[in-house]
Amino acid sequence: MLNGHGDDGYRHNKQIVADFSTNVWYGGSPDGLKSHLFANWDKIHKYPEVTGESLTDKIAAHYGMNSDQFLVANGSTESIYLIAQTFKGKKSAIVIPAFAEYEDACVMHEHQVSYIAWEDLRPDMALETDVLFICNPNNPTGAAIDWLPDLIIGNPETVFVVDEAFIEFTVLVESVVRLTKNYNNLIVMRSMTKAYAIPGLRLGYIVSSTELIQHLKRLKLPWTVNVPALEAGHFIFDHYDKLQLPIESLLQDKEAFIKGLSAVDTLKITASKTHFFIAETTIRNAPMLKLFLLKEFNILIRDASNFRGLGTGCIRLATLDKVKNELLIKALLQWK
């Protein structure tokens, strides 16, 4: 999907005063990262490592695992397309609603695609698919399940592609990364752009069995992760414990935000386990609401009506600071 993502303010001739369309951490990049990047600026005069080997080793050491179970990537999008290419022509199920790139990548690589609704998932269900794509916590809904390991262990013939891009934004879910040490039917995608607010750098990594990582490496293009992105990764893992999100206060702010939105009688809110959530306008539709907020208030929201499984009135909102949250509440009270 080249069009239809969030964070598309650049497409509008507007000075955006509050951007609720992206679920990246609103607090900005970590203190010290910018100076670190410029201190290492001269490294751009040489090619980056072919597969980000030094960062791979550092990430593996962080988990206490072997480097041959990791692959650094140009954000989760490269990971998705690389995995879809690896399983070209297979039967793949996607848990929906879901990030459109899962489906787009599977279609590009000739998968037989089917869909499973999030609410139909059960820890003891028997799957009849070669590959299952699931985002936990889910994007766009913010829903989360804590029994995913049961499903993985119970379906050894299915390869689970688990997108943990938003795992830092919940207290419910534990990562399944370490399950890859014992189970060969698991591929975990991790993003380093959401929680550290560096989506413009494009950085993430894949964790899986040694065998599956070798398959992915055979298809991976060289030099896809540039020098500044690699340096950002080194900085983050060198200061990892100091850079984690204030998740408890962020989720408290989310609850206060939702409480304020309850005054908007043209909006229905869906519960979420993350700082972002789905809301649905009960009048007109999401594209019209997005245009209204842009035109009248210079506020940007995510039109979520293009997510498979969601209705035409659905929008996705991410929690920002209290001042901006209040701006949106006041603006939505004018949506009649």
Side-chain angles (χ1 to χ4, degrees), residues 85-113:
Q85 185 180 3
T86 299
F87 294 98
K88 185 179 181 71
K90 296 291 187 180
K91 291 170 58 179
S92 289
I94 301 171
V95 180
I96 58 171
F99 188 42
E101 301 299 343
Y102 308 149
E103 180 176 350
D104 290 350
C106 286
V107 170
M108 177 182 288
H109 293 290
E110 302 173 351
H111 291 223
Q112 302 169 56
V113 182

Side-chain angles (χ1 to χ4, degrees), residues 224-290:
T224 61
V225 184
N226 63 38
V227 167
L230 289 173
E231 284 299 325
H234 279 289
F235 180 87
I236 288 166
F237 276 97
D238 284 342
H239 303 86
Y240 191 85
D241 290 339
K242 297 179 181 178
L243 301 182
Q244 298 313 296
L245 291 175
I247 184 60
E248 296 286 354
S249 62
L250 180 58
L251 293 178
Q252 289 173 8
D253 289 346
K254 187 274 299 274
E255 293 302 325
F257 185 26
I258 287 177
K259 184 177 180 180
L261 287 168
S262 66
V264 183
D265 58 12
T266 56
L267 210 62
K268 294 193 300 184
I269 308 296
T270 301
S272 162
K273 300 297 183 180
T274 66
H275 74 303
F276 59 89
F277 52 92
I278 292 294
E280 185 174 7
T281 176
T282 58
I283 58 172
R284 296 182 285 281
N285 57 43
M288 294 176 70
L289 176 54
K290 177 180 177 178

Side-chain angles (χ1 to χ4, degrees), residues 283-294 303 312 335:
I283 58 172
R284 296 182 285 281
N285 57 43
M288 294 176 70
L289 176 54
K290 177 180 177 178
L291 184 61
F292 167 77
L293 291 170
L294 266 172
D303 171 7
T312 59
W335 173 245

Side-chain angles (χ1 to χ4, degrees), residues 211-226:
E211 181 182 2
L212 281 173
I213 290 294
Q214 287 304 313
H215 280 300
L216 293 166
K217 281 185 175 179
R218 292 188 193 108
L219 297 173
K220 182 174 168 61
L221 297 175
W223 305 311
T224 61
V225 184
N226 63 38

Side-chain angles (χ1 to χ4, degrees), residues 9-26:
Y10 70 94
R11 295 181 180 276
H12 309 282
N13 188 25
K14 287 278 189 180
Q15 181 65 45
I16 305 299
V17 299
D19 184 358
F20 293 88
S21 73
T22 173
N23 39 19
V24 171
W25 161 237
Y26 74 82

Side-chain angles (χ1 to χ4, degrees), residues 68-314:
D68 57 11
Q69 285 194 250
F70 292 79
L71 183 61
V72 173
N74 182 267
S76 293
T77 299
E78 184 192 12
S79 301
I80 292 165
Y81 281 85
L82 193 58
I83 292 164
Q85 185 180 3
T86 299
F87 294 98
K88 185 179 181 71
K90 296 291 187 180
K91 291 170 58 179
S92 289
I94 301 171
V95 180
I96 58 171
F99 188 42
E101 301 299 343
Y102 308 149
E103 180 176 350
D104 290 350
C106 286
V107 170
M108 177 182 288
H109 293 290
E110 302 173 351
H111 291 223
Q112 302 169 56
V113 182
S114 61
Y115 307 95
I116 300 173
W118 180 275
E119 58 268 23
D120 291 337
L121 286 174
R122 299 291 183 273
D124 59 349
M125 70 189 303
L127 298 171
E128 298 181 357
T129 186
D130 299 318
V131 183
L132 179 80
F133 286 83
I134 180 171
C135 186
N136 189 37
N138 179 261
N139 177 34
T141 65
I145 53 175
D146 59 2
W147 42 259
L148 186 56
D150 296 333
L151 191 60
I152 295 167
I153 295 167
N155 289 273
E157 301 303 315
T158 296
V159 175
F160 286 76
V161 181
V162 180
D163 188 346
E164 293 188 344
F166 300 98
I167 199 163
E168 292 92 349
F169 294 95
T170 186
V171 294
L172 177 68
V173 178
E174 289 189 13
S175 173
V176 295
V177 162
R178 288 184 173 82
L179 279 183
T180 61
K181 292 193 287 188
N182 299 312
Y183 296 94
N184 296 325
N185 64 325
L186 175 60
I187 301 174
V188 184
M189 300 186 296
R190 293 296 296 260
S191 171
M192 293 183 67
T193 63
K194 309 297 190 302
Y196 307 107
I198 52 170
L201 282 179
R202 312 307 308 134
L203 183 62
Y205 55 96
I206 303 170
V207 194
S208 190
S209 67
T210 299
E211 181 182 2
L212 281 173
I213 290 294
Q214 287 304 313
H215 280 300
L216 293 166
K217 281 185 175 179
R218 292 188 193 108
L219 297 173
K220 182 174 168 61
L221 297 175
W223 305 311
T224 61
V225 184
N226 63 38
V227 167
L230 289 173
E231 284 299 325
H234 279 289
F235 180 87
I236 288 166
F237 276 97
D238 284 342
H239 303 86
Y240 191 85
D241 290 339
K242 297 179 181 178
L243 301 182
Q244 298 313 296
L245 291 175
I247 184 60
E248 296 286 354
S249 62
L250 180 58
L251 293 178
Q252 289 173 8
D253 289 346
K254 187 274 299 274
E255 293 302 325
F257 185 26
I258 287 177
K259 184 177 180 180
L261 287 168
S262 66
V264 183
D265 58 12
T266 56
L267 210 62
K268 294 193 300 184
I269 308 296
T270 301
S272 162
K273 300 297 183 180
T274 66
H275 74 303
F276 59 89
F277 52 92
I278 292 294
E280 185 174 7
T281 176
T282 58
I283 58 172
R284 296 182 285 281
N285 57 43
M288 294 176 70
L289 176 54
K290 177 180 177 178
L291 184 61
F292 167 77
L293 291 170
L294 266 172
K295 181 179 179 181
E296 300 297 331
F297 301 97
N298 291 359
I299 291 173
L300 186 62
I301 61 171
R302 172 65 154 99
D303 171 7
S305 62
N306 62 346
F307 283 95
R308 184 182 291 274
L310 293 184
T312 59
C314 289

